[in-house]
Amino acid sequence: MPGVASPARSLRLGPRGSTRKYTDLIDDLAGLRGLEFIERRKLLDRRPSKARKITGGQSGAPARILAGFAWGTDADRNGRSWMPQGVTTSYDAYGADHRNADPEGAGRKWLLVSWYLGKPARDARVTFVDITNMDDIRYRHVKLVEPYRRGGRTVYRPVTSHTGGLAWYRNKLFVPDTQRGLRMFAMDQLMRHTWNGGRSTTYLLPQSAAYDNSGTGLTYSAVSLDRTNGESEISLVVNEFHRKNDPDPRPRGDDRTPRVVRWRLLPDSGWIESDAAAERVVVPDGWSSQGAALVGGTCYLSQSRGDETPGSLRAFPRGNPAPRDVRPLAIGCEDLSYDGQHDALWSLGEYARLRSVHLVSRFA
């Protein structure tokens, strides 16, 4: 996968058509009545939801898992409105020493899951899950919002994105916006909105930047973080989801074969190093890949196979894109995130009654 001049993307620091930066608008929000910045540990105050540890074969998980949990409320387990999609962890963000290196982690191990609401998506959220103790898993939903100006006032609106993946690196959370590119959120700008005399509370994470698709036709279906080549080669990995027989929505002529694309991150700041991608690979048999993870010299894909058949973890050596099946995944499998502590991959299922988050071996 040699360096390529495209696909490309461009950084945007404020809402489209506005001269105001997101950071200024977020400061405006913090000055409004009932809105305040909070540390991440505060998400576990005020009676958070509790999840249940599972073993293999439970709650839609594959028969062989290393760890896993099922959501704690009926709406989260079985509801047909909100659909889980992406996954990332504090290992992505801070590496093997994440519990000590994470400045707001309070010594915990965190796992994040993204969800969308509606088709087309009209709302999005990220669930912050404390998985430090798998016998005492707690979580909180946080709405993703975009601050903007309306009628001379700073307000916020829901993020309308499918949120097909997540990548967390230090203070930055990257969320794919399928045709538009990547949205970015600063993890130290979590907010709590309290109203109704303190009886009602919503937690918010406002958008702080975006990387816009520069017309190359790349579909940002999912995003993951690759830190397996050392701190000097931290990268974002974007993959495309396409079904084999779907029409092509992109300006690529007859070539609609899925791609996996990598951008390096600047290790000090976490911003993308260059507009041009560092690597790109076309995967001829990469259809219906919900997520991708690079682990050293291997690329892993999670391939979904409908609402009745288990998905599959697939793998190929970088530079030789001929995926082979490694092991079964959940029915309705979604994103992948590598966990170097266990040398394994987190994944999840999206369908009601088959909805869990689980860690699986990356080996056959």
Side-chain angles (χ1 to χ4, degrees):
M1 291 188 290
V4 289
S6 65
R9 37 92 252 151
S10 57
L11 177 63
R12 175 167 51 85
L13 297 177
R16 289 183 177 86
S18 173
T19 59
R20 297 288 302 276
K21 291 184 178 180
Y22 283 124
T23 50
D24 296 331
L25 297 174
I26 292 169
D27 287 340
D28 291 346
L29 289 179
L32 299 178
R33 183 177 179 180
L35 276 163
E36 60 178 336
F37 290 120
I38 62 166
E39 293 184 355
R40 196 181 326 129
R41 60 184 177 84
K42 292 291 186 180
L43 293 175
L44 302 178
D45 295 345
R46 304 189 182 193
R47 300 177 65 183
S49 299
K50 292 189 176 183
R52 174 177 60 87
K53 183 174 73 172
I54 62 169
T55 58
Q58 296 180 323
S59 298
R64 296 171 61 191
I65 64 174
L66 303 177
F69 65 87
W71 301 103
T73 70
D74 182 70
D76 294 339
R77 287 192 308 272
N78 304 319
R80 298 183 181 276
S81 298
W82 286 98
M83 303 290 283
Q85 298 290 297
V87 62
T88 188
T89 69
S90 47
Y91 175 85
D92 276 343
Y94 294 101
D97 192 37
H98 59 97
R99 290 178 62 178
N100 295 317
D102 181 355
E104 289 194 0
R108 297 182 171 96
K109 180 171 183 175
W110 295 87
L111 180 145
L112 278 57
V113 170
S114 64
W115 310 61
Y116 73 93
L117 174 67
K119 292 185 178 181
R122 62 179 184 273
D123 208 342
R125 71 187 186 194
V126 168
T127 305
F128 287 71
V129 189
D130 175 9
I131 59 168
T132 312
N133 179 356
M134 293 295 287
D135 292 312
D136 183 24
I137 304 169
R138 297 170 292 168
Y139 67 92
R140 178 80 68 184
H141 299 310
V142 175
K143 288 175 65 69
L144 297 180
V145 298
E146 182 182 20
Y148 72 108
R149 297 285 290 178
R150 184 182 67 189
R153 299 175 60 244
T154 299
V155 292
Y156 63 82
R157 57 194 167 203
V159 165
T160 55
S161 171
H162 187 75
T163 64
L166 284 176
W168 177 11
Y169 181 64
R170 297 189 180 178
N171 192 44
K172 293 178 171 59
L173 182 66
F174 297 91
V175 180
D177 192 344
T178 312
Q179 300 300 332
R180 295 175 179 174
L182 295 168
R183 298 179 187 252
M184 201 202 74
F185 301 79
M187 294 287 274
D188 62 353
Q189 293 175 333
L190 276 167
M191 306 187 81
R192 182 165 55 207
H193 189 183
T194 306
W195 73 99
N196 193 22
R199 293 185 293 274
S200 301
T201 303
T202 300
Y203 294 85
L204 311 172
L205 186 58
Q207 182 172 331
S208 56
Y211 285 101
D212 291 336
N213 196 346
S214 298
T216 60
L218 181 68
T219 299
Y220 290 71
S221 298
V223 63
S224 65
L225 192 102
D226 176 19
R227 57 162 53 253
T228 59
N229 293 300
E231 290 294 321
S232 63
E233 191 71 15
I234 305 292
S235 298
L236 285 182
V237 179
V238 168
N239 71 282
E240 297 183 299
F241 173 89
H242 290 296
R243 295 183 182 90
K244 191 169 186 178
N245 297 318
D246 280 356
D248 185 5
R250 304 160 302 171
R252 288 176 59 194
D254 294 331
D255 180 12
R256 51 180 302 278
T257 311
R259 294 172 288 183
V260 176
V261 181
R262 180 175 72 89
W263 283 274
R264 294 188 188 93
L265 295 181
L266 295 169
D268 293 332
S269 67
W271 295 103
I272 292 177
E273 178 185 71
S274 170
D275 285 351
E279 295 181 80
R280 176 188 62 182
V281 62
V282 177
V283 188
D285 192 23
W287 308 109
S288 299
S289 294
Q290 299 280 1
L294 295 181
V295 182
T298 303
C299 180
Y300 292 90
L301 304 172
S302 53
Q303 183 184 63
S304 60
R305 293 174 176 169
D307 57 5
E308 296 182 355
T309 304
S312 179
L313 179 66
R314 314 185 77 206
F316 62 86
R318 290 167 72 175
N320 182 22
R324 59 178 177 83
D325 285 358
V326 176
R327 63 173 49 254
L329 291 178
I331 295 173
C333 65
E334 285 293 326
D335 197 23
L336 294 174
S337 177
Y338 177 68
D339 188 329
Q341 282 193 305
H342 302 281
D343 195 18
L345 295 159
W346 287 99
S347 188
L348 68 163
E350 72 167 340
Y351 293 128
R353 298 186 299 278
L354 298 171
R355 194 172 284 163
S356 64
V357 183
H358 36 267
L359 185 68
V360 299
S361 173
R362 67 185 182 96
F363 303 105

